[in-house]
Amino acid sequence: MIRLARFGARKQPYYRVVVIEKDRSRNGRSVEVVGTYNPRTSPATVDLKRERIDYWTGKGAQLSDTVAKLLKTPAATPAA
């Protein structure tokens, strides 16, 4: 599954987009970090490694609803 893992201090959320087994906890050990999402900037910053996301979805990984929305936003720029 590809979903968000929350990081950052209290009331200052920062998220990593991670590939993780579906039954693991939200911040459990992930397989790979494929991007970041920072909602605190204006506008929100989204950096995604699209080719790695395509690789994992090709292997059968499912996107969470939130990650699917982030992929559709035009502000989502590919990470180097």
Side-chain angles (χ1 to χ4, degrees):
M1 177 136 214
I2 300 175
R3 64 183 184 200
L4 298 178
R6 189 185 191 280
F7 288 87
R10 193 175 119 220
K11 298 195 181 220
Q12 296 180 7
Y14 179 81
Y15 299 93
R16 290 181 187 163
V17 181
V18 297
V19 178
I20 193 168
E21 293 178 27
K22 189 172 179 115
D23 58 348
R24 291 206 184 260
S25 65
R26 179 190 70 192
N27 289 344
R29 186 171 57 97
S30 61
V31 177
E32 182 179 355
V33 177
V34 292
T36 59
Y37 169 59
N38 188 355
R40 295 181 45 85
T41 60
S42 181
T45 306
V46 180
D47 292 320
L48 299 171
K49 300 177 186 173
R50 291 196 184 257
E51 45 188 59
R52 293 304 295 166
I53 292 173
D54 292 340
Y55 169 80
W56 283 109
T57 53
K59 292 283 187 179
Q62 297 176 340
L63 300 172
S64 70
D65 295 337
T66 308
V67 173
K69 287 179 188 176
L70 289 176
L71 278 172
K72 291 180 184 177
T73 60
T77 56

